[in-house]
Amino acid sequence: MKTLWAILAVLILLLQVRLWVGEGSFAQVWALEEAISKQQAENAGLAARNDRLYAEVRNLRNQQGAVEERARMNLGLIRDDETFFLVVEK
């Protein structure tokens, strides 16, 4: 009878070790859940950035004024009938 109890105790200990340390253990599941939550947060940030970029692309495709505004700000566009003034602050 004592050997049966000893075998059952060893079996329970082996199952517990696998539950806490082995593949599919609680530690591994917790680490994977944390990695999933971090990836979801990163994906949400990237989705927001993509939405802003898509809105900008739609704006540039549909409105000629948006293209002109971008050319003025980034490339220094000046029309023929305009005068350019450069204000230098000291």
Side-chain angles (χ1 to χ4, degrees), residues 26-90:
F26 285 133
Q28 186 181 23
V29 170
W30 291 330
L32 288 174
E33 286 176 352
E34 184 178 334
I36 287 171
S37 66
K38 285 180 183 179
Q39 189 64 50
Q40 286 174 339
E42 183 181 345
N43 288 349
L46 292 173
R49 185 192 72 172
N50 286 346
D51 290 340
R52 286 192 307 271
L53 289 173
Y54 286 138
E56 187 175 341
V57 167
R58 280 193 307 272
N59 189 21
L60 289 172
R61 282 185 181 167
N62 296 332
Q63 298 177 1
Q64 184 64 26
V67 174
E68 183 178 334
E69 176 186 351
R70 184 139 297 254
R72 286 180 182 275
M73 296 300 287
N74 295 340
L75 303 174
L77 173 72
I78 302 170
R79 290 188 178 170
D80 292 334
D81 58 345
E82 294 178 340
T83 305
F84 176 72
F85 293 98
L86 178 63
V87 178
V88 179
E89 296 181 19
K90 289 186 179 183

